[in-house]
Amino acid sequence: MTTQVSAPPIAAARVADATKLYGRAPAIVRALDAISVTVREGRWLALMGPSGSGKSTLLHCMAGLDTLTSGYAEIGGHSLGDLDDDQLTMLRREHVGFVFQAFNLIPSLTAAQNLALPITLAGGRPDRSRVEAMLANVGLSGRARHRPSELSGGQQQRVAVARALITEPDVVFADEPTGNLDSQSSSDILALFRRAVDDLGQTVAMVTHDPVAAAHADEVVFLFDGRAVDHLEAPTADRVLARIKPLGG
Ligand code: ADP
Ligand code: MG
């Protein structure tokens, strides 16, 4: 007789019982309160919640940019708590991509150089045809030699997304990636994430306060006071809005 056991979802990244405290008594802030979240491989997870609910803290701790006060965090099966600073830096370089609200491109470098930065920083030599293909992929052929100041906000963020994807990381973490963009540029960025997940099998964890942006994801986790209080599969903007309203977000 055979027994069918359904396998647990493969975690590209996850935290379990994760708590993060800031400050010291009597002014301690509990930014994360024993929260558990799994970012499933090949999926796009959106994190929503009111301002101050712990979204950025969660993203930073999941990505190894900040450390938990207690609890467990892993990326690609590597337990972050077991790594020293150098190992954590290596893990971030090889396994994680980042996209921030403020683009964070280096002003003195061209679009091509910014895009290739994760490879250059790791001591590698970026393959020119690969860089060109990535630029074309985000609709920026012919912009390789432009500096950030010569690009619109939407174009800069497209470079940032390509930079986050070029190492084929286990997870791309994005903190309000459309927060500084007009609606057309926002939908361009969201379409890039969608294609990265659907066509390249990439994994995305994205903080947003925009129900329309969250509706592009595969699932939404809602935060309140450092805890995961709700979860939505196959979100639509209307359903996201209905869940976020009672949280005051
Ligand atoms: P969100 O991204 O959802 O707006 P944050 O994760 O930035 O929330 O913040 C969660 C809580 O932690 C808030 O109360 C915030 O004030 C506090 N916080 C965040 N970063 C720090 C810090 N570096 N020092 C002290 N408190 C912080
Ligand atoms: Mg935030």
Side-chain angles (χ1 to χ4, degrees):
M1 198 179 95
T2 57
T3 315
Q4 286 214 322
V5 180
S6 64
I10 298 173
R14 77 186 174 97
V15 293
D17 269 330
T19 293
K20 176 70 175 178
L21 307 178
Y22 287 114
R24 47 180 65 194
I28 289 177
V29 175
R30 189 173 289 267
L32 298 178
D33 190 3
I35 190 172
S36 299
V37 174
T38 296
V39 186
R40 288 187 272 170
E41 202 174 286
R43 307 249 304 170
W44 180 357
L45 173 79
L47 295 166
M48 295 196 82
S51 180
S53 59
K55 304 181 296 294
S56 293
T57 302
L58 177 63
L59 205 72
H60 290 171
C61 289
M62 286 196 112
L65 288 169
D66 201 350
T67 54
L68 295 170
T69 306
S70 65
Y72 177 80
E74 69 169 42
I75 295 171
H78 303 275
S79 163
L80 302 189
D82 294 339
L83 306 178
D84 64 29
D85 281 353
D86 288 347
Q87 291 170 321
L88 205 52
T89 302
M90 291 289 289
L91 181 96
R92 281 198 306 261
R93 249 181 220 162
E94 289 174 11
H95 298 270
V96 178
F98 299 101
V99 181
F100 300 96
Q101 182 172 355
F103 318 145
N104 288 18
L105 300 181
I106 299 191
S108 59
L109 299 183
T110 66
Q113 288 167 336
N114 268 290
L115 199 163
L117 203 59
I119 296 169
T120 322
L121 281 176
R125 267 176 145 267
D127 178 70
R128 200 168 141 188
S129 62
R130 175 151 170 71
V131 171
E132 274 166 16
M134 286 300 284
L135 275 173
N137 187 37
V138 298
L140 291 175
S141 296
R143 298 290 187 149
R145 299 165 79 90
H146 289 229
R147 300 204 195 294
S149 62
E150 299 164 327
L151 300 172
S152 71
Q155 290 168 335
Q156 290 182 57
Q157 195 65 313
R158 281 188 265 154
V159 174
V161 171
R163 180 181 60 182
L165 290 168
I166 197 161
T167 59
E168 298 178 354
D170 287 297
V171 201
V172 173
F173 293 99
D175 196 350
E176 309 229 16
T178 61
N180 276 339
L181 300 178
D182 60 76
S183 62
Q184 180 57 53
S185 299
S186 295
S187 60
D188 291 346
I189 293 298
L190 296 167
L192 287 179
F193 284 137
R194 194 65 264 169
R195 268 170 41 211
V197 172
D198 291 347
D199 302 347
L200 307 174
Q202 290 281 335
T203 305
V204 176
M206 174 186 77
V207 168
T208 183
H209 61 256
D210 177 3
V212 173
H216 286 74
D218 297 309
E219 59 189 302
V220 184
V221 167
F222 296 87
L223 269 60
F224 189 80
D225 274 356
R227 283 171 282 126
V229 293
D230 208 350
H231 179 253
L232 189 58
E233 290 278 336
T236 64
D238 285 344
R239 292 171 67 211
V240 170
L241 198 58
R243 303 283 182 106
I244 197 76
K245 256 191 182 157
L247 301 178

